[in-house]
């Protein structure tokens, strides 16, 4: 390799990448890494592009930045370690939630867009993003979760939050459940934000549906969303701190959790439904099993099991991937246009 050559990677997990570079490259080779924080079907213009000046002169770094400017992305400057922590905060747990939803629907032999209680509003985001993830390659998500040192802890905490909240629902412990939910919500979203500042609104959420929206919406306890906020709270994560380098899917997920927690009437309904309504109980049971199963795959570093689980569910949902991708692309474009105005 030539003296002064520049080497870098576009991996989503920098710890093993940087370790390999340091181990195998001569000391006179410069290391400048990057990571586009969006998927292949998203326009890179205005999206975050992380640049990591790990071992390089400023002149070489300026050269790399100039070359990458053709993407017209928003450059974010981080260390490899900070990149992995933020990626775990914004991607690993988000993916785990949607992977668990798909697993639960498959276990119950459900195509959710064919069931009235899963159509419209927040449910549209759940379905579209879940199918979007399962339409991609398994290794994209396995590598990010298993190889990222910070991700295992966070995915484990999400599974624990799901399990603990579900047990409170099953036991009918309303006071304890409500206290925990509201404490987590206050820690993550604060108490001085108004509905006027919401990232997402009803007219946006209802627009992108794979099924016919029913006249009456079925109340849902939204265990997946409650557990996400509980997880953030337990880990001391404030998701708004990462908006500068957030992915489109993370902004969607943050948008729907914020929508739930900052609409008082909806949150009251969710808490009441969690204790008094058994409509989603079998779904929640399978979701809890799924969250723990994905956490185990990641904790054990088991790529083979991860692939088997992923591809089995992928095959089940495959007939709807084309439509889901089309609708999902439109949904993400619309929502990014809106969230871009509010950042």
């Amino acid at each position: 390799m030539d003296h002064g050559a520049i080497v870098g990677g576009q991996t989503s997990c920098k710890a093993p990448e940087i370790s390999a570079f340091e181990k195998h490259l001569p000391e006179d080779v410069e290391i400048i890494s990057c990571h586009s924080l969006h998927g292949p079907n998203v326009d890179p213009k205005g999206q975050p592009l992380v640049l990591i000046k790990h071992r390089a002169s400023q002149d070489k770094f300026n050269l790399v930045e100039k070359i990458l400017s053709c993407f017209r992305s928003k450059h974010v400057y981080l260390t490899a370690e900070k990149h992995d922590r933020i990626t775990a905060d914004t991607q690993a747990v988000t993916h785990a939630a949607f992977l668990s939803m798909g697993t639960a629907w498959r276990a119950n032999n459900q195509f959710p867009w064919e069931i009235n209680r899963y159509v419209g509003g927040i449910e549209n985001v759940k379905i579209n993003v879940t199918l979007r993830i399962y339409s991609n390659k398994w290794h994209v998500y396995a590598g990010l979760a298993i190889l990222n040192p910070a991700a295992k802890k966070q995915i484990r905490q999400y599974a624990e939050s799901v399990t603990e909240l579900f047990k409170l629902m099953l036991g009918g412990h309303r006071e304890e459940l409500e206290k925990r939910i509201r404490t987590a919500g206050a820690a993550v979203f604060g108490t001085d934000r108004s509905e006027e500042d919401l990232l997402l609104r009803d007219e946006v959420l209802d627009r992108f549906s794979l099924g016919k929206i029913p006249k009456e919406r079925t109340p849902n306890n939204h265990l997946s969303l409650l557990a996400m906020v509980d997880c953030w709270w337990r880990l001391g994560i404030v998701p708004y701190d990462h908006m500068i380098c957030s992915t489109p899917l993370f902004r969607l997920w943050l948008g729907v959790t914020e929508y739930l927690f900052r609409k008082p009437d909806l949150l009251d309904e969710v808490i009441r439904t969690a204790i008094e309504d058994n409509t989603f109980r079998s779904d929640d049971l399978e979701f809890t099993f799924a969250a723990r199963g994905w956490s185990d795959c990641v904790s054990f570093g088991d790529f083979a099991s991860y692939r088997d689980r992923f591809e089995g569910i992928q095959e089940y949902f495959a007939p709807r991937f084309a439509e889901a991708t089309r609708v999902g692309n439109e949904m993400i474009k619309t929502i990014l246009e809106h969230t871009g105005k509010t950042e």
Side-chain angles (χ1 to χ4, degrees), residues 6-123:
I6 304 172
V7 174
Q10 251 274 29
T11 64
S12 58
C13 182
K14 295 305 177 186
E17 176 191 309
I18 296 298
S19 176
F21 286 161
E22 290 180 337
K23 180 178 180 180
H24 298 289
L25 294 177
E27 291 187 4
D28 61 0
V29 170
E30 311 208 26
I31 302 173
I32 303 173
S33 193
C34 63
H35 183 203
S36 296
L37 294 176
H38 58 83
N41 295 315
V42 176
D43 185 350
K45 181 180 179 181
Q47 295 301 320
L49 170 60
V50 175
L51 299 176
I52 299 171
K53 180 186 173 186
H54 183 72
R55 189 176 75 195
S57 66
Q58 189 61 43
D59 287 344
K60 292 294 180 66
F61 185 75
N62 292 342
L63 173 62
V64 170
E65 187 165 24
K66 183 177 180 180
I67 293 171
L68 295 177
S69 66
C70 63
F71 291 130
R72 297 186 296 170
S73 297
K74 180 171 53 181
H75 293 179
V76 180
Y77 309 101
L78 299 173
T79 64
E81 182 179 3
K82 183 68 172 177
H83 165 274
D84 282 356
R85 177 56 194 265
I86 292 177
T87 301
D89 288 354
T90 59
Q91 295 188 52
V93 182
T94 303
H95 296 158
F98 289 112
L99 290 171
S100 299
M101 287 181 218
T103 306
W105 288 328
R106 171 65 182 89
N108 280 331
N109 198 29
Q110 295 172 335
F111 295 108
W113 54 87
E114 296 177 353
I115 304 172
N116 280 350
R117 69 175 187 265
Y118 274 120
V119 179
I122 291 174
E123 311 298 348

Side-chain angles (χ1 to χ4, degrees), residues 179-192 229 233 261 267:
K179 180 180 179 181
R180 181 161 172 170
I181 289 171
R182 295 193 185 281
T183 299
V188 172
F189 299 110
T191 56
D192 57 351
V229 176
W233 166 51
F261 274 81
L267 187 58

Side-chain angles (χ1 to χ4, degrees), residues 286-301:
E286 292 293 351
F287 180 77
T288 302
F289 290 156
R292 293 165 69 97
W294 284 110
S295 177
D296 286 344
C297 276
V298 172
S299 294
F300 298 147

Side-chain angles (χ1 to χ4, degrees), residues 37 89 128 136 151 159-160 179 199 219 233 237 239 249 260 266 268 282 325:
L37 294 176
D89 288 354
N128 283 317
N136 290 320
E160 290 175 359
K179 180 180 179 181
L199 293 174
W233 166 51
I237 295 171
L249 294 190
L260 169 59
L266 179 57
D268 289 343
S282 64
T325 298

Side-chain angles (χ1 to χ4, degrees), residues 250-284:
F250 177 73
R251 272 170 274 177
L252 276 173
W253 197 225
L254 174 58
V256 293
T257 54
E258 176 195 68
Y259 177 90
L260 169 59
F261 274 81
R262 288 174 52 200
K263 292 178 76 72
D265 291 344
L266 179 57
L267 187 58
D268 289 343
E269 176 188 273
V270 164
I271 294 171
R272 182 172 62 253
T273 302
I275 298 297
E276 301 174 4
D277 193 332
N278 291 324
T279 302
F280 286 89
R281 206 63 93 206
S282 64
D283 304 61
D284 292 337

Side-chain angles (χ1 to χ4, degrees), residues 139-155:
H139 61 79
V140 174
Y141 307 102
L144 190 151
I146 294 174
L147 298 177
N148 189 329
K152 293 182 180 181
K153 175 183 177 183
Q154 299 185 11
I155 294 173

